Each structure stands twice: as structure tokens, then as C-alpha cells.
Amino acid sequence: MISSLRGTVLSATTDSVIIEVGGVGFSVAVPGDVAHTARVGHELRLHTSLIVREDALSLYGFADASELEVFGHLISVTGVGPKSALGVLSHLSVDQIATAVAADDDAPFRRVSGIGPKTAKLIVVQLTGKLQAPVAAPSSASIPDEIGTQLIAALIGLGWSERVAAEAAERSTTEASETERGSVALLLRRTLATLGPAQGGAARG
């Protein structure tokens, strides 16, 4: 079992990387955010899952152990294969997945390519009680719901995945001034300054 890899990135696409470890290049399927941040020539460490099939050995890699754990839960759901599970983790963070399951909300999963209504519902049903939903901490950096929604929608429209957009919006909101928190345009400008320009499919994950 290959449970982790640490090595130099030889190449990266929108959904995979090749990491050289001890002179051997390993092709690893990864979520969009990992593929987007991987840099050729730089070191990368991944928590991995080796999926064995009759005709193939496939490696799936994640930035942290919690993503790997959720990946394992997802592929245990009827009708969810490794590629579909990877798609879920490309569009939703671990906390977003846990929150959706706890709220009995299958809508976020239906928005993932390859996940139909029946499978989305099964994810919620079969993962209930297996994931720990995050506890919302009080914050002085709150913004009106409609502004946050518009900010995330704008980022998605520019090519970022829902997951990356939500996380970036949260970070920029925390750092924003009171004036910026009242303006979608100002928040978008601050967020893009952190993210940089969207890179087509790589940003979508």
C-alpha cells in the first residue's frame, strides 16, 4: 500500500500530477486545487490511496489526511467510484461536505459533474453520522449573505471551482475593511489579488 508520496513535481494537468520519488515518476490523480497549486520543479507531499482494479493500479492523492479519509467514505457509497469521489473533493471542501451531509442537503453534490440526483441522495444518507460537521465560530468579519453569495458566484463565473471560491472569499472577507465588506466589487478585487487570474480548466478543478 502506498499511503503517501513526497517528491518533485515533474508535470501537472487539471486533474493529475506526476511526482518523481527516488528516480521513479508516479502519476497521481488529484483534486483541482492540488493540481492548480502544484509547481513543476517544486516538492509536493500527498496523502495517497492506491485503488487496485483487475486492469489497473491507480493512485489518488490529497493535500491532507482529512481529504483522504473523506475520499474513503465517498467511495464506500453505492454508485460512487474513485473518479466521482475525486470530483466531489475538487468542488467541495471537507467542511462543506460534512455540513451538507449534516444538513441532509444533497444539492451541493448534484452540482458535481457525474453525480446524479439518486447518487447525491445516497451520499447524504450513507455518510450520515460518519463525518464531523464544523462548528461555526463567531466572527467580526461577517458580511451580508447576499454579498457573500454574489462574491462566490462572481469567482465561479471567472473560472474558479466552488470550493476554491468559497475558501478564498472567506479569507479575503476576514482581512477586508468594513467598507470593503459592504461592496461586492471591492471584495472581488481583494480576492482576485490573492488568487491571481483564473487559469481556465485548471482553476475549475
Side-chain angles (χ1 to χ4, degrees):
M1 174 65 76
I2 301 174
S3 57
S4 68
L5 287 174
R6 184 176 67 182
T8 303
V9 177
L10 296 181
S11 67
T13 66
T14 58
D15 57 6
S16 68
V17 295
I18 295 178
I19 302 178
E20 183 178 43
V21 181
V24 178
F26 291 86
S27 179
V28 189
V30 294
D33 63 322
V34 174
H36 177 64
T37 56
R39 295 292 179 265
V40 174
H42 289 216
E43 185 177 87
L44 180 65
R45 184 174 190 271
L46 296 174
H47 298 266
T48 59
S49 174
L50 177 64
I51 305 297
V52 180
R53 296 286 187 263
E54 290 184 1
D55 57 349
L57 299 176
S58 302
L59 268 175
Y60 294 83
F62 307 91
D64 60 59
S66 63
E67 288 187 339
L68 176 62
E69 180 181 3
V70 172
F71 176 77
H73 286 310
L74 285 168
I75 61 176
S76 72
V77 175
T78 304
V80 178
K83 290 184 178 179
S84 294
L86 192 67
V88 172
L89 284 161
S90 287
H91 288 80
L92 301 169
S93 69
V94 167
D95 283 350
Q96 288 171 328
I97 293 169
T99 298
V101 170
D104 193 25
D105 180 12
D106 63 2
F109 302 111
R110 286 189 275 111
R111 290 195 289 269
V112 177
S113 177
I115 301 292
K118 181 179 179 180
T119 301
K121 187 62 178 177
L122 282 173
I123 290 174
V124 172
V125 171
Q126 295 187 20
L127 294 193
T128 296
K130 296 182 179 180
L131 305 178
Q132 182 65 50
V135 177
S139 172
S140 59
S142 61
I143 60 174
D145 289 344
E146 63 272 17
I147 290 182
T149 299
Q150 290 175 37
L151 174 60
I152 293 172
L155 291 168
I156 293 173
L158 289 171
W160 302 99
S161 71
E162 181 177 346
R163 170 183 176 170
V164 173
E167 292 176 347
E170 181 179 357
R171 286 196 303 271
S172 63
T173 298
T174 301
E175 300 167 356
S177 66
E178 185 174 349
T179 300
E180 287 175 318
R181 291 182 200 127
S183 167
V184 175
L186 292 177
L187 282 173
L188 180 60
R189 183 183 303 171
R190 168 179 280 277
T191 307
L192 289 176
T194 301
L195 285 172
Q199 298 180 6
R204 290 185 175 87

Short mmCIF file of all heavy atoms in Angstrom, two decimals, residues 17 33 48 113 173 204:
data_model
loop_
_atom_site.label_atom_id
_atom_site.label_comp_id
_atom_site.label_asym_id
_atom_site.label_seq_id
_atom_site.Cartn_x
_atom_site.Cartn_y
_atom_site.Cartn_z
N VAL A 17 -1.01 14.89 -11.31
CA VAL A 17 0.38 15.32 -11.26
C VAL A 17 1.27 14.09 -11.40
O VAL A 17 0.85 12.96 -11.12
CB VAL A 17 0.73 16.04 -9.94
CG1 VAL A 17 -0.04 17.34 -9.80
CG2 VAL A 17 0.48 15.13 -8.73
N ASP A 33 -7.74 21.73 -6.72
CA ASP A 33 -6.94 22.72 -6.02
C ASP A 33 -5.49 22.27 -5.89
O ASP A 33 -4.56 23.08 -5.94
CB ASP A 33 -7.53 23.04 -4.65
CG ASP A 33 -7.56 21.84 -3.72
OD1 ASP A 33 -7.83 20.72 -4.21
OD2 ASP A 33 -7.32 22.00 -2.51
N THR A 48 -2.01 9.48 0.00
CA THR A 48 -2.49 8.77 -1.18
C THR A 48 -3.31 7.52 -0.86
O THR A 48 -3.21 6.94 0.22
CB THR A 48 -1.31 8.35 -2.08
OG1 THR A 48 -0.42 7.51 -1.33
CG2 THR A 48 -0.56 9.56 -2.60
N SER A 113 -20.21 17.30 -11.53
CA SER A 113 -20.35 16.56 -12.78
C SER A 113 -20.23 15.05 -12.52
O SER A 113 -19.31 14.59 -11.84
CB SER A 113 -19.26 16.99 -13.77
OG SER A 113 -19.32 16.24 -14.96
N THR A 173 -12.59 38.08 3.13
CA THR A 173 -13.56 38.76 3.99
C THR A 173 -12.98 39.01 5.37
O THR A 173 -13.18 40.07 5.97
CB THR A 173 -14.84 37.92 4.11
OG1 THR A 173 -15.43 37.78 2.81
CG2 THR A 173 -15.84 38.58 5.03
N ARG A 204 -10.89 25.54 -12.49
CA ARG A 204 -12.17 24.90 -12.21
C ARG A 204 -12.01 23.61 -11.43
O ARG A 204 -12.88 23.19 -10.73
CB ARG A 204 -12.93 24.62 -13.53
CG ARG A 204 -13.42 25.88 -14.20
CD ARG A 204 -14.26 25.54 -15.42
NE ARG A 204 -14.84 26.73 -16.00
CZ ARG A 204 -14.24 27.48 -16.88
NH1 ARG A 204 -13.03 27.18 -17.30
NH2 ARG A 204 -14.82 28.55 -17.37
#
